[in-house]
Amino acid sequence: NDFFLLPKVIYKDDPYYNQESEPEIRNLIEGNLFDAEMFEYTNDSTRGLGIIRKGDDTALFGYFETLNDTNGSQDFFKRLESWAAEMGVTKIVGPINFTTYLGYRIKLNHFDKKPFLGEPYNKDYYQKILEEAGYSIDQYYHSYRAVDFPDEYYKYSKFIQEHKSTEFSVEKLDANVWRKYINEFYSFIDQTFKLNKFYYPMPASVFNLNYGAIFAEMIDSDTSRVIFDNEGRVAAFTLMFKESQGTMLIKTVGVHPKYQKNNLFNLLLADILSTFKENY
């Protein structure tokens, strides 16, 4: 129970903190839905979960939260490293909450701005805490905000649409389409993103739980698109969300490995740009 109390202390009255779902996290851990070895740690100032997924040579640490207390966090990492060594693992990466689907990374700057949907959020001292524990940055991720696109983009998008292959069709991706093809999207995502450095797959049951009906209703059908091949299979798609009034968030763009030489990424963006000014 203490595991879930600490964030309420750390982020008390913080307008940018998006409260975690205790029932969902309890279900993942207590039900061991990822079939993983786990190490749970909680003290007065720090909490975290060590995770070793079956067959992995790397341990993850997830659900990491800490007050600005070096001693408390260093005790967590010492115990985590000792546990990982006992399990025969010498590399530790995080924060990753079982999989990148469920939250990963830490925020490094722009703490005065609300994070985008699905982006990490933490206090500004987390980087210092991790570095003092002996950890270093492995990869940087960047989120960009564009006020508008240059005219050349719109000209290019028109050119792309006029010369698109008849082998593919572009359709709106709304809640009904997402629900209808959810099993195909699940398989597609696993094949498309598995070469990303920190991608860890999610069991189909957990995917359907987290990305089912409620998630489908969040999709912005004005700008989200799916491309089908001539046999009606998903070849590419993009998920867009209304971030705020007048702002669109390009959240996920994927092209199936089979079709990554067919200019489908540009075709997706071209179709989005064709309606962008009308909606945002």
Side-chain angles (χ1 to χ4, degrees):
N1 291 332
D2 292 343
F3 191 83
F4 296 99
L5 293 178
L6 193 59
K8 296 171 185 175
V9 175
I10 296 170
Y11 300 106
K12 188 175 184 292
D13 300 324
D14 189 326
Y16 297 150
Y17 177 64
N18 185 24
Q19 190 162 335
E20 65 188 13
S21 171
E22 181 175 337
E24 285 182 14
I25 298 171
R26 278 186 179 277
N27 188 36
L28 289 169
I29 296 174
E30 293 173 359
N32 196 6
L33 301 187
F34 282 88
D35 192 20
E37 297 289 343
M38 287 177 280
F39 165 79
E40 183 267 322
Y41 179 95
T42 311
N43 67 25
D44 290 339
S45 65
T46 303
R47 75 158 202 200
L49 186 73
I51 303 161
I52 301 177
R53 296 182 50 151
K54 189 170 285 188
D56 283 354
D57 59 0
T58 299
L60 311 177
F61 68 91
Y63 301 103
F64 175 70
E65 298 289 357
T66 186
L67 291 166
N68 198 359
D69 175 3
T70 300
N71 292 332
S73 56
Q74 289 200 351
D75 185 61
F76 162 64
F77 285 110
K78 282 178 185 174
R79 291 171 185 263
L80 172 68
E81 290 157 15
S82 176
W83 171 77
E86 288 174 12
M87 300 295 292
V89 171
T90 57
K91 183 177 180 181
I92 299 175
V93 173
I96 298 177
N97 302 340
F98 287 109
T99 168
T100 52
Y101 284 102
L102 299 178
Y104 67 116
R105 302 173 284 150
I106 64 166
K107 184 176 174 68
L108 298 181
N109 52 24
H110 297 292
F111 292 98
D112 59 329
K113 293 181 174 64
K114 183 181 177 182
F116 296 115
L117 177 71
E119 294 281 274
Y121 182 71
N122 48 264
K123 293 297 187 179
D124 59 3
Y125 53 79
Y126 274 45
Q127 180 179 2
K128 175 180 71 75
I129 290 283
L130 286 165
E131 288 174 346
E132 287 176 349
Y135 288 77
S136 58
I137 295 171
D138 191 286
Q139 282 195 337
Y140 286 95
Y141 292 75
H142 299 272
S143 298
Y144 297 98
R145 184 184 293 275
V147 176
D148 196 5
F149 297 96
D151 288 341
E152 288 76 14
Y153 278 57
Y154 294 102
K155 292 174 185 174
Y156 180 61
S157 70
K158 188 176 179 182
F159 174 83
I160 289 289
Q161 288 180 305
E162 288 172 350
H163 294 82
K164 67 183 178 184
S165 169
T166 55
E167 185 183 348
F168 302 98
S169 62
V170 185
E171 298 183 20
K172 281 191 172 185
L173 175 50
D174 58 18
N176 291 330
V177 173
W178 179 259
R179 285 192 291 263
K180 180 179 178 180
Y181 291 94
I182 189 167
N183 292 330
E184 190 170 342
F185 283 125
Y186 169 73
S187 173
F188 173 104
I189 289 167
D190 197 48
Q191 293 179 66
T192 303
F193 296 112
K194 66 183 178 183
L195 294 180
N196 288 5
K197 186 168 185 181
F198 295 126
Y199 176 80
Y200 292 90
M202 178 189 283
S205 59
V206 182
F207 182 85
N208 289 332
L209 196 64
N210 285 271
Y211 294 94
I214 295 174
F215 176 81
E217 295 300 328
M218 295 167 58
I219 297 170
D220 179 17
S221 59
D222 286 331
T223 49
S224 297
R225 295 290 184 270
V226 58
I227 297 180
F228 293 103
D229 65 15
N230 281 343
E231 296 181 20
R233 292 174 301 203
V234 175
F237 75 93
T238 184
L239 289 173
M240 306 295 200
F241 298 91
K242 285 188 170 93
E243 178 66 21
S244 59
Q245 186 64 37
T247 303
M248 171 184 74
L249 176 68
I250 302 176
K251 186 71 181 80
T252 302
V253 181
V255 179
H256 193 284
K258 181 179 178 181
Y259 297 119
Q260 286 178 359
K261 304 288 185 183
N262 292 81
N263 212 25
L264 298 189
F265 179 80
N266 287 331
L267 182 56
L268 281 170
L269 293 184
D271 204 81
I272 293 160
L273 286 173
S274 68
T275 61
F276 175 75
K277 284 186 175 179
E278 298 169 22
N279 298 293
Y280 293 97

